[in-house]
Amino acid sequence: MTKNKNWWKNKIAYQIYPRSFCDSNGDGIGDINGIVSKLDYLKDLGIDIIWICPVYRSPMDDGGYDISDYYDIDPIFGKKEDMDVLIDEANRRGIKILMDLVLNHCSDEHPWFKKALADPDSEEAGYFWFRESHGAPPNNWRSMFGGSAWENVGGDRWYLHLFSKKQPDLNWENPKLRQKLYDMINYWLDKGLGGFRIDAITHIKKEPTLSSLPADGPDGMVDCYGPTRNYPGIGDLLTELRKNTFDKYECMTVAEAAGVPYEELGAYIGKDGYFDTLFDFTYSELYARGHGWHTCMRPWEWPISNLRDKMFASQLATEKVGFGAVYFENHDYPRACAKYLPDQYVSPLSQKMLGTLFFFLRGIPFIYQGQELGMTNTHFDSIDQVDDISTKNHYKLAIADGFSPDEAIKAVQRYSRDNARVPFPWNDEKNGGFTVGTPWVKVHPDYASVNAADEQVDKDSVLNYYKRMIALRKSNEYNQTFTFGDIKPILLEHDDIIAYVREGDKKIAVICSFCPSQKEITLPFECGEMLLSNYNRQNIDGKKMTLSPFECAVIAVKE
Ligand code: GLC
Ligand code: CA
C-alpha cells in the first residue's frame, strides 16, 4: 500500500510544554492526563497535530531533553499507559501526536552512560565520545550552554557534551548505537504516533579529528557550531535513519534543523529529503547573540524590515524545494511580542497582528501554548525563580561581566526561555486553574486577565481571533491557497510594513503594519472581500487604505 506522506500539509499544529500545560493530580506539575483533559479545548481551537516536548524518563536537568530511558514515561508526567491513552484519545478526535525525539544526546543517568563510565572497554563506551587528555579538555570547543564541551570523569578521561554536562553526546559513528535508536523510534511509531519533532538533529555528525580551532572569545574557546552543525557526512547518517524508521510509517517528521544553508535545504526537505519539514531559525533569532544575553540588542531596535527580509528569504528558499514549518514562538524563546514589538505597544491588537503575520505564511503553522491567548513574558524578581539551565548560564555571564544580581536578572529576563514555560492560565482561579497544588514554577502575574476561560467568552479576545484565523486557513474555499499557494512579498517600499500575497487557486493578501501611527498605502491590486481584520474593518473599495496603528488585514484579491 502506498503511504500518504502528505496528510499533514494542510493541518494546524500546536506545541505543548507538558510541565506547564495542565496538572491533573495536584502535584504542581503538568502531566499527560492533564493534556488528555484538554484535548477538547484544542479540538475546539481547530488543532490537528500536537507536538509534545519530551515526556520520557529524565532527571530534568534540561526540561526533559536529558533522557535516561527512551522507552519509559517520567513519573512526573504519568505512566506509560497514560501515553497510550493520550495517543488513542487524540486519534479518536482526529488529532495526531508528535513526540519529541532527542537523538543527539541522552542523560548521564542513562544506563548506557553508567556502563560506559564503569567500564571503558564496554560496548556502551563506544556509544559516546570519550577521549583521553592530560590536564586540560581534549579540545577548546565551547558547549552551547556555556563552558567547555568536555567533562572530566577522573584521570585523563573526558566525554563530549555539546549541551549540558548531564547531556553526553551520542556517537552516531557507532552502528550498534544507531540500531538501538532505530528500534526505539519504531517502538513508538508502532503505537500509532503521528510522528516526531526531532531535536538538535543537525549536530549528530562531528568533525572527526575533534581538533581545537582558533578561539573566538576571551575564554580561549570556540563555538561548537562550525565542527558539529550540519557537518559534511551528516547526510549519510540521516538517510540511514530515515530508511530504517520514518519511511516505514505514515508519519510526519519536523526537524529542529539550525544551521542548514538554503542551498542544502533540498537534501533535508526536498523530494526524498531526510525529513518532511523543518524549523528554520534564520528569522527568529534576530537578536545578535553576542557574549551572553546581557549584551544583546533588542530586536525591535533594528528596523522591522530586518525581520521581513529574513522571513521572506526563508519563505522563498523553502518554497523552491519543499514545505516548511512556520512559527513565532516555542519553548526556547521568550514570547514573540517581547522580541518584535516595543513594550509600550504590546496589546491584544498588536498580538493579533503578530499572529496574522506568521500564521498565513507558506508552511504548516505551529502555535505554541499560550500564544493563542496573547501571553506576554513573565516576570522574575531573582534568579531563584528561574529553572532554565540556559538562563542560569547567561545570568552567570552577566555577573562575571560586573553586573549586580539585580541588573543581571533584568538583563536576562527579556530572553529567558522560562518566559514561555510558565503554567498555562486556564481561568482566573488560584494558579490560573493550572494546578490545585503549588506550581513548579511561578505562575504568570497576569493570569487573572489573560486566561482561556475569559477569552472564550470575549468575542474580541486574542483566542477568538486565533480561532478565526484557523477556521479561515482551513476553510474549503481558501485551504488550497493557504497551503500550497506561492508567496509573493508586496509593499516592500514601506519599511514598517510586512505584507505578502499567497497565490494558489485564489489570491489572498496579508498586510501587517508595525507602524504606531496611521499609514497610507496603495495596494498593487483591487480589494475583494475582507477576510480578517484586527480592527473589524469592513470591505474596502479600490487600492487605497489608511492603516491604523498595528493594523493587520487579510484580503481576497479581486481578479
Ligand atoms: C533543543 C531544545 C532545547 C534543548 C536543546 C538540547 O534546542 O529545543 O530546549 O535545550 O535542544 O536538547
Ligand atoms: Ca501532575
Side-chain angles (χ1 to χ4, degrees):
M1 199 180 75
T2 47
K3 300 195 174 58
N4 172 11
K5 285 286 196 181
N6 288 319
W7 60 268
W8 53 274
K9 284 191 176 159
N10 63 351
K11 304 282 190 265
I12 312 291
Y14 187 92
Q15 183 193 350
I16 289 184
Y17 195 69
R19 276 211 281 185
S20 300
F21 195 57
C22 177
D23 174 24
S24 71
N25 62 351
D27 66 356
I29 306 172
D31 45 50
I32 293 171
N33 287 337
I35 300 174
V36 174
S37 74
K38 298 298 181 186
L39 284 173
D40 288 331
Y41 166 83
L42 296 170
K43 181 78 193 163
D44 175 58
L45 185 58
I47 301 303
D48 311 292
I49 294 173
I50 306 173
W51 151 29
I52 304 177
C53 285
V55 287
Y56 311 92
R57 191 176 278 271
S58 163
M60 299 289 155
D61 179 58
D62 179 24
Y65 283 92
D66 45 318
I67 297 171
S68 55
D69 185 347
Y70 285 97
Y71 287 90
D72 204 2
I73 296 296
D74 198 89
I76 67 169
F77 295 124
K79 298 196 282 291
K80 270 174 105 157
E81 301 76 59
D82 299 338
M83 193 65 209
D84 297 339
V85 171
L86 172 61
I87 294 170
D88 290 348
E89 284 294 319
N91 281 343
R92 240 166 35 83
R93 291 167 173 81
I95 296 177
K96 287 284 177 191
I97 301 285
L98 309 183
M99 286 179 87
D100 215 311
L101 193 56
V102 187
L103 299 175
N104 177 67
H105 44 267
C106 62
S107 160
D108 65 340
E109 295 182 37
H110 193 291
W112 294 339
F113 193 73
K114 289 187 183 162
K115 276 198 199 141
L117 270 193
D119 178 3
D121 296 322
S122 60
E123 177 181 317
E124 286 77 6
Y127 294 2
F128 299 93
W129 292 93
F130 283 98
R131 287 293 181 274
E132 302 277 316
S133 173
H134 191 62
N139 70 26
N140 70 340
W141 298 356
R142 190 187 296 114
S143 106
M144 267 172 276
F145 290 153
S148 170
W150 294 89
E151 181 70 6
N152 184 276
V153 292
D156 292 343
R157 200 170 177 226
W158 304 72
Y159 69 87
L160 178 69
H161 62 89
L162 298 185
F163 292 88
S164 102
K165 65 180 182 200
K166 287 187 67 63
Q167 293 168 301
D169 277 58
L170 291 166
N171 181 359
W172 273 72
E173 305 303 324
N174 185 308
K176 289 196 173 131
L177 164 83
R178 296 203 299 271
Q179 190 56 50
K180 292 241 148 120
L181 294 174
Y182 304 154
D183 293 346
M184 176 275 291
I185 293 169
N186 294 334
Y187 165 83
W188 285 108
L189 287 172
D190 281 335
K191 285 179 181 284
L193 208 62
F196 291 105
R197 176 267 188 181
I198 305 172
D199 186 68
I201 194 64
T202 43
H203 291 282
I204 61 171
K205 182 87 185 174
K206 324 296 187 209
E207 184 277 304
T209 67
L210 306 180
S211 305
S212 283
L213 291 164
D216 64 8
D219 56 4
M221 289 187 264
V222 59
D223 252 1
C224 59
Y225 292 141
T228 73
R229 198 164 75 168
N230 193 37
Y231 197 80
I234 193 171
D236 297 338
L237 296 177
L238 296 177
T239 303
E240 189 193 279
L241 162 67
R242 192 198 76 200
K243 288 198 171 139
N244 282 281
T245 57
F246 317 134
D247 268 1
K248 305 181 188 175
Y249 298 84
E250 214 164 72
C251 66
M252 86 168 280
T253 51
V254 47
E256 187 195 31
V260 179
Y262 290 143
E263 312 85 75
E264 289 174 36
L265 262 187
Y268 274 80
I269 56 166
K271 194 171 167 295
D272 300 325
Y274 318 133
F275 305 105
D276 291 306
T277 183
L278 55 70
F279 294 117
D280 174 10
F281 293 91
T282 51
Y283 63 93
S284 50
E285 294 196 351
L286 284 182
Y287 39 95
R289 281 194 168 227
H291 162 70
W293 291 336
H294 62 294
T295 64
C296 283
M297 197 194 274
R298 290 173 171 198
W300 48 262
E301 285 167 0
W302 306 28
I304 203 69
S305 55
N306 198 296
L307 166 65
R308 178 192 67 192
D309 296 347
K310 294 232 158 91
M311 214 176 75
F312 286 146
S314 168
Q315 285 274 296
L316 295 168
T318 309
E319 170 181 275
K320 280 197 206 128
V321 298
F323 207 78
V326 294
Y327 68 101
F328 252 1
E329 295 192 1
N330 64 30
H331 66 296
D332 288 332
Y333 290 133
R335 292 292 178 181
C337 56
K339 286 165 68 176
Y340 303 126
L341 294 170
D343 293 344
Q344 69 270 32
Y345 298 123
V346 174
S347 70
L349 194 93
S350 58
Q351 297 266 42
K352 291 174 192 169
M353 183 276 289
L354 268 189
T356 305
L357 174 60
F358 105 96
F359 191 77
F360 295 104
L361 292 172
R362 188 176 184 279
I364 175 170
F366 276 74
I367 298 167
Y368 177 68
Q369 67 181 47
Q371 182 181 346
E372 79 276 26
L373 303 179
M375 284 184 80
T376 54
N377 273 356
T378 192
H379 177 77
F380 311 116
D381 302 310
S382 89
I383 193 69
D384 303 334
Q385 292 168 350
V386 170
D387 174 79
D388 168 36
I389 181 167
S390 83
T391 310
K392 289 181 185 162
N393 284 329
H394 282 277
Y395 177 85
K396 276 191 219 141
L397 286 174
I399 296 282
D401 268 5
F403 282 50
S404 71
D406 220 34
E407 289 162 347
I409 191 70
K410 282 205 187 86
V412 300
Q413 158 91 58
R414 176 170 293 271
Y415 296 106
S416 171
R417 304 197 295 181
D418 274 357
N419 277 307
R421 295 180 176 186
V422 297
F424 188 99
W426 291 103
N427 52 45
D428 63 2
E429 288 158 29
K430 189 161 177 247
N431 301 321
F434 161 73
T435 179
V436 293
T438 308
W440 70 276
V441 69
K442 216 173 74 150
V443 294
H444 195 290
D446 293 346
Y447 73 82
S449 50
V450 178
N451 64 66
D454 287 356
E455 293 200 26
Q456 292 278 20
V457 293
D458 171 4
K459 72 175 190 355
D460 278 332
S461 65
V462 178
L463 178 61
N464 277 317
Y465 187 84
Y466 265 78
K467 281 193 199 173
R468 288 200 284 278
M469 288 206 297
I470 294 170
L472 177 61
R473 201 177 159 123
K474 290 171 90 168
S475 64
N476 286 339
E477 208 173 343
Y478 297 112
N479 188 243
Q480 193 281 341
T481 303
F482 281 130
T483 306
F484 295 107
D486 292 344
I487 179 130
K488 297 267 152 56
I490 55 165
L491 300 177
L492 292 170
E493 64 278 19
H494 299 281
D495 269 351
D496 44 9
I497 288 182
I498 307 185
Y500 51 89
V501 176
R502 298 294 313 277
E503 291 189 12
D505 61 6
K506 299 208 167 48
K507 286 188 187 159
I508 307 161
V510 178
I511 298 152
C512 296
S513 173
F514 284 78
C515 181
S517 52
Q518 288 202 335
K519 183 96 193 169
E520 306 278 341
I521 56 166
T522 306
L523 294 163
F525 54 80
E526 293 277 330
C527 291
E529 192 186 344
M530 178 70 59
L531 301 174
L532 201 62
S533 151
N534 61 342
Y535 277 81
N536 298 322
R537 192 196 266 271
Q538 302 305 306
N539 289 351
I540 40 174
D541 279 336
K543 297 183 173 182
K544 289 212 182 300
M545 247 181 122
T546 304
L547 293 173
S548 296
F550 300 101
E551 176 161 4
C552 66
V554 182
I555 309 172
V557 172
K558 201 180 264 177
E559 310 233 32

